[in-house]
Amino acid sequence: MAIRFSSDFAKNITDKAIHAAVLDTVTALAGACKQISHICARGPLEQGLGVETGAANTDGDAQKALDVRSDEIITKVLETAPVAYYASEEQDDIVILDADKPLAVASDPLDGSSNIDTNVSIGTIFSIFETNDNAASSFLRPGSEQICGGFFVYGPQTTLVITAGAGTQTYVLDPDSGDFELAIADMKITPMSTEYAINASNHHHWDAPIRAYIEDCLLGATGPLGTKYNMRWVGSLVADANRILSRGGLFMYPSDDRDGYSHGRLRLLYEANPVAFVIEQAGGAATDGTRRILDVPLGTLHQRVPLVFGSKRAVQTLGNYHKKQDQL
Ligand code: AFP
């Protein structure tokens, strides 16, 4: 299996050894995700993928069989990649692979688990750093220090959306060749969009700025935003992110007053950071409502963060609602 990287894919990584290590690691991840894609394509023919294992991950989210299998597949391929440390949503602590290797990989091995039995697109999210002095310091740092990040989507196509700091690219797994072929060399998100994505059932739990913004979107042309809005919510971060990259929009998973949601639902290290990296490299923006995601310090491995991303002007408009609230 190969990925036909474009010649300038990682041109900003000038250290030849690190450049080669990143390509080798992404190729290894692509091999793992091809296996996961195959399992997803078989769906119910693979017994009980969506069945809860009875275990829970670090924050009590029930683990599904496919979560665990995906994590095992990724761990195995990284053992022979130039990777020293592996941090996973499905494992409490960092996995030490070979401390002499140059890279550290963080991953949500299977994002969207609750959609496994419904044949909705799900995916794998990853973030790659050069190692620091030790395992912990290699991950507990701002997302701006990532050297590569992205996600695979297991949907009608199996795609890889990725950046190494020189723009965002999409590769598609060609079912005929079995290789990932470059499909879009330089993705750009439209700066403004009238489509938003949020789980609207949480309306009464949101803070005032989010409620005010969504209510103004619902007012449409008669409201202060002066135009009709549309809504989409897949419940699978990679699917919503891929749509927003393709046609613009605004994704919001804010903090809310439910137990455990005071910092939102999504994890900074292996969900928000890689998505933010891809979105920014495509000309969009990603914040926690007000702060740039890639500047948010990471204090604990599985730290959650409120996540807003998409068309730059839409992110800025929502940011103004927060500023107005702060001035009250
Ligand atoms: P699962 O992996 O538990 O299905 O969660 C998926 C997810 O982390 C992310 O992919 C979605 O955007 C978000 O949760 C959906 O959350 P809600 O189920 O609260 O809408």
Side-chain angles (χ1 to χ4, degrees), residues 76-285:
K76 186 158 180 58
V77 302
L78 293 183
E79 285 167 355
T80 55
V83 176
Y85 313 120
Y86 172 48
S88 166
E89 181 179 39
E90 304 310 328
Q91 305 201 42
D92 292 355
D93 303 313
I94 295 167
V95 177
I96 311 295
L97 297 170
D98 178 344
D100 294 333
K101 298 282 178 63
L103 300 182
V105 173
S107 178
D108 177 1
L110 205 288
D111 173 71
S113 315
S114 54
N115 291 308
I116 291 170
D117 293 332
T118 61
N119 196 22
V120 167
S121 298
I122 52 182
T124 296
I125 311 171
F126 64 93
S127 175
I128 303 176
F129 298 88
E130 281 191 67
T131 52
N132 261 344
D133 305 339
N134 55 53
S137 66
S138 295
F139 294 110
L140 300 183
R141 58 210 285 196
S144 54
E145 295 183 18
Q146 291 172 92
I147 56 173
C148 182
F151 53 85
F152 293 83
V153 183
Y154 314 122
Q157 311 115 41
T158 289
T159 56
L160 164 60
V161 180
I162 187 170
T163 184
T168 292
Q169 303 184 335
T170 288
Y171 295 82
V172 175
L173 177 62
D174 182 340
D176 298 328
S177 68
D179 295 333
F180 282 84
E181 306 289 352
L182 178 65
I184 308 172
D186 188 17
M187 301 190 80
K188 287 295 173 221
I189 300 179
T190 174
M192 187 52 202
S193 167
T194 55
E195 187 164 76
Y196 66 89
I198 194 165
N199 182 336
S201 69
N202 297 322
H203 180 277
H204 55 296
H205 294 295
W206 297 331
D207 294 338
I210 293 282
R211 270 208 314 277
Y213 176 74
I214 296 299
E215 284 159 8
D216 286 349
C217 289
L218 292 171
L219 286 172
T222 61
L225 298 174
T227 183
K228 179 177 178 336
Y229 275 71
N230 187 42
M231 196 198 113
R232 286 283 183 277
W233 184 251
V234 183
S236 175
L237 174 59
V238 295
D240 282 314
N242 201 49
R243 184 192 62 256
I244 287 168
L245 276 160
S246 307
R247 69 187 198 205
L250 182 68
F251 176 99
M252 292 159 278
Y253 209 114
S255 57
D256 66 50
D257 66 12
R258 290 176 291 165
D259 287 346
Y261 283 77
S262 58
H263 296 287
R265 173 187 176 91
L266 300 169
R267 291 357 188 290
L268 180 54
L269 174 62
Y270 39 74
E271 291 177 325
N273 275 338
V275 168
F277 194 11
V278 155
I279 292 291
E280 283 198 0
Q281 287 291 315

